[in-house]
Amino acid sequence: MRMIEQIQRRAKTDPSLPGKISGGKLAIALFSGIAMGLTAAPVGAWFLAWVALAPLWQLILADAFVKETSLKHGPRPWWQQLPWRPITYCLVWGLGYCGLAMVWIRDLHPLTWMGIPWLTSVAIAFFCWSFLAGLGAMRIAIWGGLFALAIRALRPSSLPPASPMIPWLPLVRVLIGAALWCGGEALWSGSILYWLSLAFTQSPQNLWILHLGQLSGPMAVTAAIAAVNGLLAEAWLHRPGAAPQPRDRGMGRRCLAIALLLLVGSHLVGAIRYYRPLTSSADATLHIGIIQGNVPTRIKLYEEGLRLAFTNYTTAYHALVDQQVDAVLTPEGAMPIVWGEPNVSRNPLYQAIRDRGVPAWVGTFYPQNGHITQSLLTITGDGEVLSHYDKVKLVPLGEYIPYQALLGGLIRRLSPVDATMVPGDRQQQVLTPFGQAIVGICYDSAFPWLFRTQAAGGGEFILTASNNDPYNRAMMAQHHAQDVMRAIETDRWAVRATNTGYSGVVNPRGQTVWRSPARTAVHYAATIARRQTQTPYVRWGDWLTPLLLVAAILAGIGSRLTRG
C-alpha cells in the first residue's frame, strides 16, 4: 500500500507520469502530430515519420503503466472506464497531422464563381478542412482507444509492464499497436474520404521503403513505420532512470536495437527490389502524348472555358501527332461536355482525331442510364469509342452528394454539376489499341486496390487523368506522390495528365521521369513500356494486415495465459 501511495503522489508532480490531462502532454501530442504532417508535400520531411508517432505511443503506454498500480474505487459506469486520456492525446495528434497535411483544402475558396457569397465561401472551405481533419483525427483516436484497452487487458494485476514473468510483453504491445493501426487504415481505405496513410509519408522521396509496397501494398510500409515508432516508445519507457523503474532494465536497449534493425532491414529489402533490372522488349514500347490544358474550373463549364478547352487540346493534339506519338492522353474533364450527339460532331478535338487517325484518351462526361459518369474514353483513330473507364471514387459534394435523400436539399448548391454523377464499377477492365490499361481518375489514385485489381486482370501500364484545380502546388505534389506509390506497387509505368499540374511520367521504380510545371498549358511526348509482371501484392493483395491481426490476437492470448 505504501508503494502505491508513493506512486500516486509522484503521478501528481512528475510530468513523465500520467494523471490528469496536462497542457504539456497535449503539447507533446500536438507538436508530434504536426511533425508527422511535415512529411507530406510541400515540405516532404519523410524521415520524421519514423519518430513522430513515438511520443503519442509513449503517452498511451505511460497512461496504462500508472493505471496498473492505481487503487480501485469500486465499479464505475462503462463510459467512465474508457481510456479517455489516450483518446484525447490521439485526437490532438491527429488534428496536428491531418490538419497540416490537408491544409490545401482551403484553396476551395473562393467559390464566388458558383454564385456563393464570399463569406459563405470562406465558411465552406473552413468547414471542409476542419471536417476532414477531424475525421482523420477520429480514426486515430479509435486506434488509440483500442490500443489502450488492449494494453489494459494484457497488464499484470500487480506487476509493472516489464516484469521478468513476461519479458516479451513490450514486443507484444508493439505487435498489437501496429496491427491495429494497419487494420484501421485498411478499413478506412474503403471509405469515401481516404487520403493519408503512414505509407504516404514516404512518397515520393523514400523510394527504397516504398518498394515494400510490392509485397503487400502500402500496409507493408505502414506496418514498418508503426512498429519502429512503437519500439522507440517502449525503449523510452524502459530508459535508465525512468520512474517508476521497470524491473527489466535491459528491455529499453533491446527495443532500441530491434527498432534500428527493423529500420535498416526494411530499407535493405526495399533497396533489393528497387535495384531489380527493368527489362522490356522493343515491341512493348509505347509513345504517349500528354496534354495539360490549364483550363480553370471556374470557367470550364461556361462558354469561355469551352472555347479555351477546344483550342488548347486540339492544338496540342496536332503538335503531339506531328511528333509521331502512338496515342494522346488528356486530363479529367478535358472536354467539359456530355459526350454524344450533337456535342461530338461539333467538337474540334474529335474531328482532329478522325482526321489524323491517332487514338486519344479523352476525359469527359459520359451518359449512362439517365445519369452521367466522370469518364476517360478510349477514342480510336476512326472516332469510335473502344472502351471507357468511369471514375469509381467520386468527390463528395463536388461530384455527388452523399446520402442525397437526407442532405441533398441542404447542400445541393455545393456541387458544380447537378449531383447526378454515379460511380463506375469497381471491377472495370479497360481495353486499348495497345492492350489492357490500368486507369484511374483523380481521387481514384488514393485507393491502391483499384489499381491492383486492374493489374491482376492484365493491365500493362497506368493512365491517370486528373483535374487538380483549384488546389495549389501542395495538393498537386501530394497527388503525384499517390501515383508514384501505385506505379511501384503494380510494377508499371504511369502516365499522368492533369488539367493544371502536375502532369508527369513515373517509371516502375517510382522515379519521376518528367513532371510538368504548374498552372501552364503544356504538352509532352513520353516513351514508356508495357509490362506484364505481377508483384506479390498484385497476386495476393494485402495479406500482411490479416496476418498481423491474427498474430496480435495469438500473442495477446499467449501473454494472458502466461500471466496466469
Side-chain angles (χ1 to χ4, degrees):
M1 289 294 296
R2 183 178 299 176
M3 180 188 72
I4 294 176
E5 292 173 358
Q6 290 175 349
I7 292 175
Q8 287 180 326
R9 284 196 298 270
R10 294 194 64 183
K12 296 178 181 179
T13 58
D14 190 339
S16 68
L17 297 177
K20 295 181 179 180
I21 296 175
S22 69
K25 293 167 190 170
L26 291 177
I28 290 172
L30 177 62
F31 285 111
S32 59
I34 290 173
M36 186 66 80
L38 293 174
T39 62
V43 179
W46 60 268
F47 47 87
L48 290 177
W50 297 92
V51 296
L53 181 58
L56 176 66
W57 198 302
Q58 197 277 333
L59 286 173
I60 297 171
L61 290 174
D63 183 81
F65 183 78
V66 166
K67 277 185 172 293
E68 64 195 4
T69 55
S70 62
L71 290 172
K72 295 182 179 179
H73 299 282
R76 295 176 297 166
W78 65 268
W79 62 86
Q80 293 184 11
Q81 299 180 45
L82 293 177
W84 290 115
R85 285 190 295 269
I87 289 173
T88 303
Y89 300 145
C90 289
L91 275 173
V92 172
W93 189 92
L95 287 173
Y97 172 36
C98 301
L100 180 58
M102 301 192 70
V103 72
W104 47 264
I105 292 292
R106 71 179 188 274
D107 295 325
L108 282 171
H109 173 75
L111 294 169
T112 51
W113 61 275
M114 296 170 58
I116 296 175
W118 190 87
L119 284 177
T120 305
S121 173
V122 172
I124 291 171
F126 177 78
F127 168 78
C128 291
W129 173 66
S130 58
F131 178 77
L132 291 175
L135 207 59
M138 284 180 59
R139 177 181 67 82
I140 296 166
I142 292 172
W143 168 80
L146 292 175
F147 186 33
L149 290 174
I151 296 173
R152 286 186 187 179
L154 289 176
R155 68 176 179 235
S157 57
S158 61
L159 295 173
S163 168
M165 293 179 62
I166 40 177
W168 61 83
L169 187 56
L171 302 183
V172 173
R173 290 196 294 255
V174 171
L175 174 60
I176 292 174
L180 287 173
W181 191 287
C182 289
E185 275 198 10
L187 289 175
W188 195 249
S189 68
S191 71
I192 62 174
L193 292 172
Y194 177 69
W195 186 258
L196 299 175
S197 69
L198 285 187
F200 176 72
T201 63
Q202 304 300 289
S203 186
Q205 293 89 0
N206 191 0
L207 297 182
W208 282 12
I209 201 65
L210 289 178
H211 275 70
L212 292 186
Q214 292 185 346
L215 302 178
S216 187
M219 294 307 162
V221 183
T222 290
I225 296 173
V228 168
N229 277 274
L231 288 164
L232 292 177
E234 290 284 356
W236 178 256
L237 182 68
H238 294 82
R239 71 193 184 278
Q245 180 65 42
R247 298 189 181 185
D248 188 350
R249 301 189 179 190
M251 180 54 70
R253 292 189 294 271
R254 288 195 292 271
C255 286
L256 182 59
I258 296 172
L260 293 175
L261 182 63
L262 178 59
L263 176 65
V264 174
S266 59
H267 279 78
L268 288 178
V269 171
I272 291 171
R273 299 196 68 86
Y274 175 83
Y275 285 110
R276 295 174 67 185
L278 297 177
T279 58
S280 58
S281 59
D283 58 357
T285 299
L286 281 178
H287 303 284
I288 297 179
I290 305 168
I291 304 178
Q292 180 173 296
N294 195 38
V295 181
T297 299
R298 66 179 181 274
I299 67 171
K300 179 186 286 188
L301 301 178
Y302 304 102
E303 190 63 32
E304 178 187 359
L306 286 173
R307 288 196 302 268
L308 184 60
F310 289 156
T311 299
N312 287 1
Y313 288 104
T314 304
T315 302
Y317 174 84
H318 283 296
L320 288 167
V321 172
D322 290 341
Q323 297 181 47
Q324 299 183 337
V325 297
D326 297 316
V328 174
L329 176 64
T330 69
E332 173 189 28
M335 293 291 106
I337 59 174
V338 177
W339 197 264
E341 295 297 342
N343 293 334
V344 171
S345 59
R346 298 198 298 261
N347 189 319
L349 177 60
Y350 176 76
Q351 295 301 326
I353 295 171
R354 295 192 61 180
D355 292 341
R356 303 298 297 271
V358 174
W361 292 285
V362 179
T364 188
F365 304 130
Y366 199 57
Q368 299 191 66
N369 302 321
H371 298 280
I372 59 174
T373 55
Q374 186 79 265
S375 299
L376 189 70
L377 309 184
T378 304
I379 311 293
T380 61
D382 57 7
E384 297 297 320
V385 178
L386 174 63
S387 62
H388 59 91
Y389 174 84
D390 307 320
K391 186 175 183 178
V392 175
K393 289 296 183 177
L394 299 174
V395 178
L397 304 185
E399 295 171 322
Y400 83 109
I401 296 176
Y403 314 109
Q404 187 166 352
L406 178 64
L407 303 176
L410 296 175
I411 54 178
R412 187 177 299 278
R413 290 184 65 198
L414 296 180
S415 176
V417 295
D418 292 331
T420 57
M421 287 192 185
V422 293
D425 188 343
R426 296 183 174 212
Q427 302 298 322
Q428 295 176 78
Q429 302 293 336
V430 181
L431 183 64
T432 77
F434 319 102
Q436 200 160 294
I438 303 166
V439 182
I441 298 179
C442 199
Y443 190 31
D444 287 343
S445 292
F447 299 87
W449 49 267
L450 284 173
F451 293 74
R452 187 199 74 81
T453 300
Q454 295 181 70
E460 298 178 318
F461 55 96
I462 296 175
L463 302 172
T464 61
S466 307
N467 182 13
N468 289 357
D469 189 63
Y471 302 110
N472 63 17
R473 287 170 174 81
M475 185 274 180
M476 296 175 187
Q478 288 188 20
H479 197 279
H480 179 83
Q482 296 282 9
D483 281 344
V484 167
M485 295 172 68
R486 307 295 85 87
I488 293 172
E489 292 155 6
T490 58
D491 194 35
R492 296 293 188 269
W493 283 84
V495 181
R496 311 183 66 247
T498 70
N499 176 22
T500 55
Y502 297 122
S503 302
V505 181
V506 180
N507 70 17
R509 287 189 176 132
Q511 297 167 327
T512 300
V513 177
W514 172 77
R515 196 180 80 172
S516 71
R519 307 287 178 188
T520 304
V522 64
H523 59 270
Y524 180 81
T527 300
I528 68 169
R530 295 182 286 121
R531 293 174 64 81
Q532 298 178 339
T533 58
Q534 289 204 338
T535 64
Y537 174 60
V538 169
R539 289 194 186 98
W540 305 310
D542 177 21
W543 53 267
L544 180 61
T545 297
L547 179 63
L548 286 174
L549 289 170
V550 171
I553 292 172
L554 294 177
I557 293 173
S559 297
R560 293 275 297 184
L561 293 175
T562 302
R563 188 183 79 182

